Amino acid sequence: MDLQNSSSGGGPPVLKEKRAASPAPSGVSMKSDASMMIPPGFSSGGGSSGSRTETQRGASPEPSCVSMKSDQSIIIPPDFSSEDMTSDPHEKKKNFSRKELDHIFKELQEKFISLVKNELNTFKNLLNPDYPACSEGEVEDGQKEGVLKVTLHILRNMNQADLANTLESKLAPACQRKLKSKLRDKYQILNEGISGHVKSALLNEIYTELYITEGDGGDVNQEHEVKQMEAASRKKTTQEKPIKCNDIFKPLPEQKRPIRTVLTKGVAGIGKTVSVQKFILDWSEGEVNQDILFIFPLPFRELNLMKEKKLSLVNLLQSFFPETQDLKPRHYKSYKIMFIFDGLDECRLPLDFQNNENLVNIEEQTSVDVLLTNLIKGNLLPSALLWITSRPPLDQQQSVRSLLSVLIR
């Protein structure tokens, strides 16, 4: 089985849509009459003469709300003097002195340190086995997410990846745990045999590690984010570099950038799909690759059935994984996620990389073919990991040739 791997160096650069320049404000001039707030008119019936100067009222045991007939109830328009007005808003900006800036930033520093201390204490408690899991409401706190990203980055730089992964998993949306549970239930049992003679067994009890090597003949492109690997039932040679299935996204020594896309090829029955299932099972059981928050297996055989549909990437994932209904679009970008496309040789989609429109919005509806080409090219979710499996030869389909040309460009 041959595996080709594309690194993003942190992922290909995110394509940013250009925004048109904002038109000049069309608000009413603050000097015009239209800018003044007109006080409401009050009828004089049943009350005083309507004079705005009448302020005396008798004591009342009722709640001391302001009477609508008193001059306190009138909305007084702001007093705009002509010498204070200017057509240039920049002229009204305050120039801070060094002393004022020092005071402001001292207060900012105190608040920032207090915020970080509070959040770090929360994170420390979450890593304590006796501490209850946090509620999903806590995860939605924008301030917490910002501090969390910095904390995870520093922990991993301190070579404390296990702590970082555990913390990130505890603070992940609840749907992540639901997805892991679903995938664990789905892939822990392996069914073998033909119709009428199917045998079931626990995958962990019968799995044999597939022998995977990097591609032959210089298929590893050292300057790009592609690694090709081969899995086969043959004896090891001195030239081959065996790679464990769970390590396929770890860069080879000669590669300069992290791996983003892996293409694994192998003859029918060699164990490509079983290796995919084992990878997912180990992840769902918390064994390995816990820095990945979500794994979405999408077999080409099932994607073919959605060929004529129009939907967004978010809609596509929700149709396959209803557990992710509560996953917000920002989560797809802020968390490390992985897509597994099994059976490229079975793909019946055009995968027209040359002519398909570019797409960067994961909520924009289009064809499944456009979604896949933009996901593979890195326009959609450029930091996401991709694992694609296929049977050789890879040059029999135009869509496969197009895919290879994109991966090794």
Side-chain angles (χ1 to χ4, degrees):
M1 177 159 70
D2 192 71
L3 190 151
Q4 191 164 351
N5 188 317
S6 124
S7 69
S8 65
V14 180
L15 301 180
K16 296 184 178 178
E17 297 178 345
K18 297 182 178 178
R19 298 191 300 175
S22 300
S26 58
V28 181
S29 167
M30 295 184 73
K31 287 186 178 181
S32 69
D33 292 341
S35 67
M36 298 181 62
M37 304 173 66
I38 306 301
F42 299 103
S43 117
S44 60
S48 66
S49 61
S51 170
R52 294 185 182 180
T53 60
E54 180 179 292
T55 59
Q56 293 183 347
R57 294 185 299 167
S60 171
E62 300 298 326
S64 58
C65 298
V66 178
S67 167
M68 293 191 67
K69 291 184 180 180
S70 71
D71 57 356
Q72 295 183 48
S73 67
I74 299 175
I75 302 176
I76 307 299
D79 180 19
F80 299 117
S81 63
S82 58
E83 54 268 22
D84 289 335
M85 295 305 300
T86 175
S87 59
D88 185 0
H90 295 290
E91 293 183 11
K92 296 297 294 180
K93 285 186 177 180
K94 180 178 178 180
N95 293 322
F96 293 96
S97 67
R98 176 63 179 272
K99 185 176 181 180
E100 289 174 317
L101 286 174
D102 287 344
H103 175 75
I104 292 172
F105 274 82
K106 182 179 179 181
E107 183 178 357
L108 174 63
Q109 179 181 346
E110 292 172 352
K111 291 182 179 296
F112 183 79
I113 291 175
S114 176
L115 168 66
V116 172
K117 281 185 176 180
N118 290 336
E119 298 304 334
L120 289 180
N121 282 332
T122 300
F123 299 159
K124 182 177 67 175
N125 290 332
L126 285 172
L127 293 172
N128 186 334
D130 299 326
Y131 190 82
C134 72
S135 66
E136 196 160 348
E138 290 178 295
V139 181
E140 298 303 321
D141 186 342
Q143 290 180 333
K144 181 182 293 295
E145 287 191 355
V147 178
L148 175 62
K149 287 182 179 179
V150 175
T151 304
L152 296 175
H153 177 75
I154 294 175
L155 280 174
R156 286 174 176 139
N157 282 344
M158 295 168 58
N159 295 321
Q160 297 294 338
D162 289 342
L163 276 180
N165 295 340
T166 302
L167 177 60
E168 189 172 26
S169 179
K170 283 181 175 289
L171 287 170
C175 61
Q176 191 243 17
R177 295 183 286 278
K178 296 178 183 177
L179 177 64
K180 274 192 169 185
S181 177
K182 173 184 178 178
L183 295 179
R184 181 172 60 253
D185 293 343
K186 180 177 181 179
Y187 292 117
Q188 65 181 349
I189 302 294
L190 183 65
N191 296 319
E192 296 181 308
I194 58 176
S195 179
H197 299 84
V198 176
K199 294 182 178 180
S200 299
L202 291 175
L203 179 58
N204 281 334
E205 293 182 357
I206 65 171
Y207 178 76
T208 301
E209 186 75 30
L210 191 63
Y211 187 72
I212 304 175
T213 66
E214 66 173 283
D216 295 333
D219 287 333
V220 179
N221 189 323
Q222 299 179 15
E223 298 300 324
H224 296 80
E225 43 206 51
V226 176
K227 178 171 66 180
Q228 183 167 329
M229 303 164 68
E230 184 174 0
S233 55
R234 63 187 184 193
K235 292 183 179 181
K236 176 180 177 182
T237 67
T238 55
Q239 289 79 21
E240 293 172 348
K241 298 179 181 179
I243 300 172
K244 291 183 177 180
C245 181
N246 283 325
D247 295 338
I248 59 174
F249 283 94
K250 293 181 179 179
L252 297 173
E254 62 269 28
Q255 286 188 302
K256 299 179 180 179
R257 293 192 286 178
I259 302 304
R260 178 181 184 262
T261 304
V262 172
L263 174 61
T264 307
K265 67 179 181 181
V267 297
I270 198 64
K272 302 181 299 296
T273 298
V274 174
S275 294
V276 166
Q277 294 177 355
K278 177 61 172 171
F279 185 100
I280 297 172
L281 180 60
D282 288 347
W283 171 80
S284 66
E285 291 181 339
E287 298 293 331
V288 292
N289 294 306
Q290 295 305 292
D291 56 321
I292 301 173
L293 265 290
F294 293 91
I295 292 182
F296 301 113
L298 300 168
F300 277 106
R301 184 179 297 179
E302 296 181 31
L303 289 172
N304 291 335
L305 302 177
M306 310 185 77
K307 184 176 181 179
E308 305 300 327
K309 293 187 176 181
K310 296 279 187 180
L311 66 175
S312 68
L313 180 59
V314 172
N315 297 149
L316 176 67
L317 295 176
Q318 290 177 347
S319 65
F320 277 93
F321 309 100
E323 299 80 9
T324 64
Q325 293 287 339
D326 296 332
L327 198 60
K328 295 178 172 52
R330 62 185 174 86
H331 289 146
Y332 292 96
K333 300 177 182 179
S334 59
Y335 294 133
K336 188 174 183 179
I337 65 176
M338 175 181 175
F339 295 91
I340 300 181
F341 300 106
D342 191 27
L344 175 62
D345 52 287
E346 298 179 306
C347 178
R348 300 298 177 260
L349 301 168
L351 294 184
D352 192 350
F353 292 94
Q354 300 298 324
N355 300 312
N356 279 354
E357 62 184 284
N358 289 334
L359 188 70
V360 297
N361 186 354
I362 63 174
E363 297 182 273
E364 182 176 342
Q365 294 193 345
T366 184
S367 68
V368 174
D369 185 65
V370 171
L371 291 178
L372 291 185
T373 55
N374 280 278
L375 192 59
I376 293 171
K377 289 169 67 176
N379 296 333
L380 283 175
L381 303 180
S383 62
L385 303 178
L386 277 67
W387 185 7
I388 305 170
T389 72
S390 180
R391 296 180 185 178
L394 295 176
D395 57 354
Q396 292 183 348
Q397 285 184 276
Q398 178 61 41
S399 60
V400 177
R401 292 198 298 270
S402 298
L403 170 62
L404 289 176
S405 66
V406 169
L407 292 179
I408 63 176
R409 65 187 176 196

